[in-house]
């Protein structure tokens, strides 16, 4: 049975999210795509009864939220359900041991979850798992991926209880909000396998909120027979408010196919061909670990990392291993314990002072785009002021700014747009805007850390187009992303590196 | 921790050395240094046989001066008058200050140490009481907010807006009773707020005619309830509770079906017993998560609270003129310009602040090590 | 008309900082009106001067605290690490001196300068008094500013701006402190305003009752604290205690003991209102 919700969420007089029809297909898995910040999580939380009626004014199906919170429907859904939140770090209590968090409340009588942990962590080493449960969650340890798997374990414990119950599928609700955001592809696939195995045994109602379009590929490759029980939806903004429309998975699959066809064509550069921008010799040391690069299929053959002009290089690594740390080391934002690097012709080691980057690199020869636009941008500033303070040869006037904005916002740049507060932009707009200051600097080297984070499909296509155009202009691009399917199709194999740590392989 | 400890010890050392320097300087200054007039008069002031109160002796000195300094009669006159004036000034100075001026002696240091000991135990007791009070008041306020209770005045406003007096006599009577009850409650709450925000001396002087305000007990009561200490830090704790309640882990606790019921009398609610307990624990309730995280944050402000409490206690002791207490002694010694003693008292207070800071840092560090999985 | 009034009240009730600002100003106006009717002119004039001086000092404290904090936070950007460490070390020492002791000594210093005739204008004395109070309260603001900078330092914000080649001083002063922290700073200033009034009144009171024999309190500008220590005011406050046992005496308090009761009320009511305003502000901006 399908349920339909009409939802309106307001704070004061401002509407945060309003949708006339938010459908939940009973006994089916619904994948919900859409750009970040559009309201996917908020709507799901509203349905699951997690919003604070004292802080927000919420109406569901025309009735007050208080009334909805007391409804039998919600009580049933919560009784046999669970909600896995995105950002695993902030969703675990930092002052409670992980083991305790895995066995409190309704998880208390749901077994020890050892089997689930073994599957999600792909290990039979119970001592390792026990040591993980015996600690308090810190910001960086366990890693985001490990924390994510612990939150998933909670959901699976509830799912196991659901399997034992006689509750009909319609009455259950399991929400997974960006559950693979901190997982590498292999772990994500293991998680999906477990989820679908349970679904085979007894269907349940599931909302799966994600930006990870490569899940579509995974489903089509391995679980095609389940397609009648799977819905692909996309939350979009329309003139009438939010709209949940069907998403055609073939659109994505076809685009991917086309991307592969024009993969990483070498650019024709005059005079500067093969000019090296970065070389890093193996190993480099940080956090007391030795790291090395290798080609994806040859982990036993360390290979120096190279990036030349006109190339885009894709760096892969499991989540939390240190991809962003490496980008920061290259950009002089973090110091390595041991480093042998040539950056834009200058020899760099672990003793090179930060002043070098300030003097010669930042904003002059290299730029970096950080993964979280919400953190990297000044949300209180206006769109137009995003270019202020940049070390440009001349100050940009309004026309220059509009021209720059048009490279990524064609059709969206109105007179008011320049004066709009960045905090009020949608997630996709912020992510695109996040690229612009670096593009305006026009540096030889551009480091892009998770550039597709939080984007809808349309924005992904725009960003990929920009990356390609920069490559054709002769820029060197270092791409860091966990979205392997898209970048594998974009970058040729010879330009793909995998980052690894010696301790881990040994 | 070692770095912090070193910094604390270093600052203690620096201040102690500085105080020692000032102390010896003051000592040197206090040595009877002659004034310019005394210097000019020199041995004339100290003549053992001369009694200048006796007019005969004065006249004799006048003659002697004329004999040895002939032809300088006017000068000798002014010298004699200067001598008499200086002697008188010196005498008056000695008479007026002899019973007030004190030097730092061992017995005095012993006396100060006793006062210091008393100050410390009052301080520790008030600190403990406010630590408990701050948490209890804040938890109570947070729970009431979660119960969606409006302020009494707003409830009164709502009652009056509903035109309650238009029904029958019984209805009107009920409404009047309700309104009066709300008004009394609001007035009592207002009075409580006034007490909590009153500087200690305002309360003390208000009650002086009725209560003996010079007791240690009264000082402790004032230390806890006045000067805005309790209410301000309870508010800080409350802010932590509110900000923690918005965090993600609370949502995770909610989806694990931990209780979210804040009523006092339900099985899965928050009973008064738990709110007023010395060691607060809220069982399988979402609030337990919020509380432990807020308490951890509150510890970081504990140093600031302790410092403010010391300020409050000194104000109480000074303003209430409680004899034999450290604050009063400080004020008295400052009044009589006995700066050596003032210096020692300040040093004592500084050591107490530092000791509190070190203890708090040690405790927080230890807890942090537990939560960082280092212990 | 009734509905409009109701709407205004409901709106104000939802924004408690504004509501309490109205209550505070209204309360002050009411007390002033009452005093105008029932208090003798010289006493009323003294209260007015004391009130204006006290609030003038508190306002000046805000200005100096802001300036000192800004200088401090920017000094922590100094390139030499040892200089930064020394600066923080000295700040921590200053923090360990109880505010009341520090301010008391500062005031004693000012009084000595007054006695030596080195200070002539009242305004200069007010400024000096404000500087002394600021020295012992500005650290709260420094802590907040440093906390805000640290917060953005931890996120990608700081580094993302650095790699764009934006100057560090611009990131801290414009992007972090001005664009992203001015509401927090304003809120802290409200709290400091309350602390400044409390400390200033306390020290003035203590000086007036405790040190007045050698350090003439008459030399210092009249403030609410000195007025409270005034013998007439003390009698008035003592009368409150009397009325606890003799409720019929309460009515006399508002007519015959007006000076002391007014001064005490102004202090306590202002402290309460400022606290409520700061709270409402925190709630409204979800700080």
């Amino acid at each position: 049975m399908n349920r339909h919700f009409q939802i309106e969420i307001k704070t004061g007089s401002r509407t945060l999210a309003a949708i006339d029809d938010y459908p939940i297909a009973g006994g089916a898995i619904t994948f919900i795509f859409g750009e970040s910040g559009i309201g996917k999580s908020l709507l799901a939380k509203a349905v699951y009864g997690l919003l604070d009626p004292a802080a927000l004014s919420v109406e569901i199906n025309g009735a007050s939220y208080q009334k909805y919170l007391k409804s039998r429907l919600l009580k049933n859904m919560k009784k046999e359900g669970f909600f896995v939140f995105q950002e695993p770090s902030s969703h675990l209590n930092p002052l409670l041991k992980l083991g305790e968090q895995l066995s409190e409340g309704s998880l208390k009588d749901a077994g020890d979850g050892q089997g689930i942990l073994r599957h999600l962590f792909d290990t039979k080493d119970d001592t390792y798992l026990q040591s993980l449960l015996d600690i308090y969650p810190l910001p960086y340890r366990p890693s985001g991926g490990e924390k994510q798997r612990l939150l998933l374990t909670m959901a699976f414990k509830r799912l196991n209880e659901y399997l034992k119950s006689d509750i009909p599928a319609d009455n259950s609700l399991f929400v997974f909000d960006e559950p693979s955001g901190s997982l590498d592809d292999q772990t994500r696939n293991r998680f999906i396998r477990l989820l679908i195995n349970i679904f085979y045994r007894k269907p349940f109602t599931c909302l799966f909120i994600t930006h990870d379009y490569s899940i579509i590929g995974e489903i089509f490759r391995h679980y095609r027979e389940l397609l009648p029980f799977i819905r692909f939806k996309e939350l979009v903004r329309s003139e009438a408010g939010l709209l949940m429309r069907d998403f055609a998975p073939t659109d994505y699959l076809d685009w991917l196919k086309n991307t592969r066809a024009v993969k990483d064509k070498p650019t024709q550069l005059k005079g500067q061909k093969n000019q090296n921008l970065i070389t890093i010799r193996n190993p480099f040391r940080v956090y007391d670990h030795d790291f090395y690069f290798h080609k994806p299929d040859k982990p036993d053959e360390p290979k120096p990392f190279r990036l030349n002009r006109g190339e885009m290089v894709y760096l892969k690594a499991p989540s939390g291993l240190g991809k962003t740390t490496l980008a920061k080391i290259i950009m002089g934002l973090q110091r390595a314990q041991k480093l042998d690097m040539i950056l834009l012709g200058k020899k760099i080691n672990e003793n090179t002072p930060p002043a070098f980057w300030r003097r010669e690199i930042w904003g002059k020869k290299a730029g970096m785009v950080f993964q979280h636009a919400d953190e990297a941008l000044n949300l209180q500033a206006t769109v137009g002021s995003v270019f202020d303070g940049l070390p440009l040869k001349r100050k940009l006037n309004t026309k220059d700014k509009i021209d720059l904005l048009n490279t990524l916002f064609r059709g969206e740049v109105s007179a008011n747009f320049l004066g709009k507060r960045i905090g009020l932009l949608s997630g996709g707009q912020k992510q695109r805007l996040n690229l612009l200051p670096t593009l305006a600097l026009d540096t030889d080297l551009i480091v892009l850390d998770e550039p597709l984070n939080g984007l809808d499909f349309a924005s992904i296509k725009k960003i990929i187009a920009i990356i390609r155009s920069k490559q054709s202009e002769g820029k060197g691009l270092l791409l860091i992303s966990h979205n392997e399917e898209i970048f594998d199709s974009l970058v040729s194999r010879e330009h793909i590196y995998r980052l690894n740590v010696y301790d881990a392989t040994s | 921790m070692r770095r912090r400890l070193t910094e604390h010890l270093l600052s203690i050392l620096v201040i102690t050395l500085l105080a020692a320097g000032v102390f010896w300087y003051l000592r040197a200054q206090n040595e009877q240094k002659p004034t310019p007039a005394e210097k000019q008069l020199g041995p004339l002031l100290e003549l053992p046989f001369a009694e200048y109160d006796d007019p005969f002796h004065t006249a004799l000195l006048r003659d002697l001066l004329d004999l040895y300094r002939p032809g300088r009669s006017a000068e000798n006159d002014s010298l004699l008058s200067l001598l008499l004036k200086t002697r008188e000034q010196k005498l008056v100075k000695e008479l007026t200050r002899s019973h007030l001026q004190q030097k730092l002696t061992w017995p005095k240091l012993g006396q100060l140490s006793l006062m210091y000991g008393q100050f410390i135990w009052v301080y520790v007791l008030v600190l403990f009481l406010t630590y408990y009070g701050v948490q209890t008041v804040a938890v109570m306020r947070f729970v009431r907010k979660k119960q969606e209770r409006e302020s009494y005045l707003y409830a009164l406003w709502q009652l009056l807006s509903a035109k309650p007096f238009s029904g029958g006599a019984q209805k009107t009577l009920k409404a009047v009773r309700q309104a009066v009850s709300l008004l009394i409650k609001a007035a009592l709450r207002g009075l409580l707020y006034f007490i909590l925000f009153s500087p200690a001396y305002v309360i003390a002087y208000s009650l002086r005619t009725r209560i003996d305000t010079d007791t240690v007990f009264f000082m402790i009561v004032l230390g806890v309830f006045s000067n805005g200490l309790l209410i301000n830090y309870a508010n800080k704790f409350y802010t932590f509770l509110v900000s923690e309640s918005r965090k993600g882990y609370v949502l995770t606790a909610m989806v694990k079906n931990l209780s979210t019921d804040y009523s006092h009398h339900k099985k899965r609610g928050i009973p008064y017993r738990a709110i007023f307990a010395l060691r607060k624990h809220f069982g399988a309730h979402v609030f337990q998560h919020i509380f432990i995280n807020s308490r951890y944050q509150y510890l970081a402000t504990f140093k600031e609270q302790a410092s403010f409490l010391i300020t409050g206690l000194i104000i109480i002791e000074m303003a209430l003129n409680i004899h034999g207490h450290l604050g009063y002694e400080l004020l008295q010694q400052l009044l009589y310009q006995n700066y050596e003693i003032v210096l020692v008292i300040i040093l004592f207070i500084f050591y107490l602040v530092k000791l509190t800071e070190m203890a708090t840092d040690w405790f927080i560090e230890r807890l942090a090590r537990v939560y960082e999985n280092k212990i | 008309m009734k509905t409009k009034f109701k709407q205004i009240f409901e709106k104000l009730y939802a924004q408690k900082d504004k509501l309490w600002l109205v209550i505070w100003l209204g309360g002050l106006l009411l007390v002033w009106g009452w005093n105008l009717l029932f208090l003798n002119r010289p006493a009323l004039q003294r209260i007015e001067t004391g009130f204006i001086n006290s609030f003038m000092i508190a306002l000046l404290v805000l200005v100096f605290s802001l300036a000192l904090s800004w200088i401090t936070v920017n000094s922590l950007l100094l390139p030499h690490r040892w200089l930064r460490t020394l600066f923080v070390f000295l700040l921590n020492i200053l923090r360990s001196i109880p505010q009341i002791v520090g301010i008391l000594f500062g005031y004693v210093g000012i009084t000595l300068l007054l006695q030596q005739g080195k200070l002539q204008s009242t305004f200069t004395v007010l400024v000096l008094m404000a500087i002394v109070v600021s020295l012992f309260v500005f650290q709260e603001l420094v802590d907040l500013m440093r906390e805000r900078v640290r917060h953005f330092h931890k996120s990608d914000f700081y580094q993302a701006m650095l790699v764009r080649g934006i100057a560090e001083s611009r990131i801290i002063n414009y992007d972090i402190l001005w664009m992203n922290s001015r509401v927090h700073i304003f809120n802290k200033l409200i709290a400091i305003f309350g602390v400044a009034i409390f400390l200033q009144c306390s020290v003035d009171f203590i000086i007036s009752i405790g040190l007045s024999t050698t350090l003439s309190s008459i030399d210092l500008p009249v403030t609410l604290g000195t007025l409270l220590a005034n013998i007439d005011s003390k009698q008035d406050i003592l009368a409150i205690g009397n009325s606890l046992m003799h409720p019929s005496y309460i009515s006399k308090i508002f007519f015959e003991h007006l000076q002391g009761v007014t001064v005490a009320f102004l202090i306590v009511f202002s402290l309460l209102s400022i606290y409520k305003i700061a709270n409402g502000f925190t709630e409204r901006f979800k700080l």
Side-chain angles (χ1 to χ4, degrees), chain C residues 67-103:
Chain C
L68 282 169
S69 308
W70 183 80
I71 292 168
T72 307
V73 170
N74 277 276
S75 306
L76 296 175
L77 283 175
L78 292 171
H80 304 292
R81 199 177 161 195
W82 66 268
L83 218 65
R84 288 200 307 261
T85 313
L86 181 72
F87 205 76
V88 172
F89 178 72
L90 291 176
L91 280 176
N92 283 345
I93 287 187
L94 197 64
R95 193 196 299 272
S96 300
I97 299 170
Q99 291 164 324
I100 197 75
V101 175
I103 296 171

Side-chain angles (χ1 to χ4, degrees), chain A residues 331 344 355-367 391-393 441-445 475, chain C residues 162-166:
Chain A
M331 292 305 293
L344 295 139
F356 162 76
W357 280 272
R358 183 175 288 124
R359 208 174 46 239
E360 298 194 23
I361 305 293
W362 292 341
K364 296 181 180 92
K365 291 180 181 165
L392 299 167
K393 281 174 194 150
L441 288 166
D442 202 31
T443 52
D444 291 339
L445 170 67
K475 309 291 178 200
Chain C
L162 271 186
V163 294
R164 285 178 207 151
I166 297 173

Side-chain angles (χ1 to χ4, degrees), chain B residues 20 37 49 67 98 130 212 222 226 275 293 340 346:
Chain B
F49 48 83
L67 192 67
S98 61
T130 46
D212 178 10
L222 280 184
S226 70
I275 296 174
N293 280 278
E340 286 178 16
I346 289 175

Side-chain angles (χ1 to χ4, degrees), chain B residues 147-212:
Chain B
Q147 291 171 347
E148 292 173 20
R149 288 206 204 179
E150 290 294 353
S151 77
Y152 296 126
L153 280 180
Y154 188 71
L156 183 67
W157 161 265
Q158 279 183 320
L159 180 76
L160 298 178
S161 301
K163 295 178 185 164
F165 309 119
S166 52
Q170 211 171 2
K171 214 175 161 190
T172 307
L173 198 68
K174 195 182 164 194
V176 169
R177 212 180 295 141
Q178 263 182 322
V180 170
S181 154
L182 285 169
L183 210 59
I184 292 172
K185 281 180 187 170
L188 285 176
R189 179 181 273 196
L191 185 68
L192 184 69
Y193 264 120
F194 262 70
I195 292 171
L196 290 172
F197 276 100
S198 285
Y201 41 86
V202 174
I203 300 176
Y205 278 92
S206 307
L207 302 175
R208 218 161 204 185
T209 51
R210 294 289 135 204
I211 303 170
D212 178 10

Side-chain angles (χ1 to χ4, degrees), chain A residues 145-207:
Chain A
E146 285 172 319
K147 282 181 197 148
Q148 185 82 72
R149 278 173 273 180
L150 287 162
L151 284 169
L152 289 174
T153 304
M154 292 179 192
F156 282 117
K157 280 178 84 170
R158 293 296 312 140
L159 273 167
N160 280 344
E161 286 300 291
Y162 165 76
L163 280 180
K164 289 183 215 159
S165 73
D166 52 2
I167 303 240
D170 290 352
N171 275 0
S172 62
L173 181 60
F174 288 85
V175 183
F176 294 87
D177 189 0
E178 290 288 356
S180 59
S182 306
L183 304 179
D184 56 79
D185 279 9
Q186 287 164 331
T187 314
R188 181 202 65 191
N189 295 345
R190 260 199 312 279
F191 149 59
I192 290 177
R193 195 182 318 137
L194 187 61
L195 189 77
I196 286 181
N197 279 346
I198 293 176
F199 193 85
Y200 275 132
R201 288 169 66 189
K202 183 179 173 187
F204 52 89
T205 307
C206 174
L207 289 184

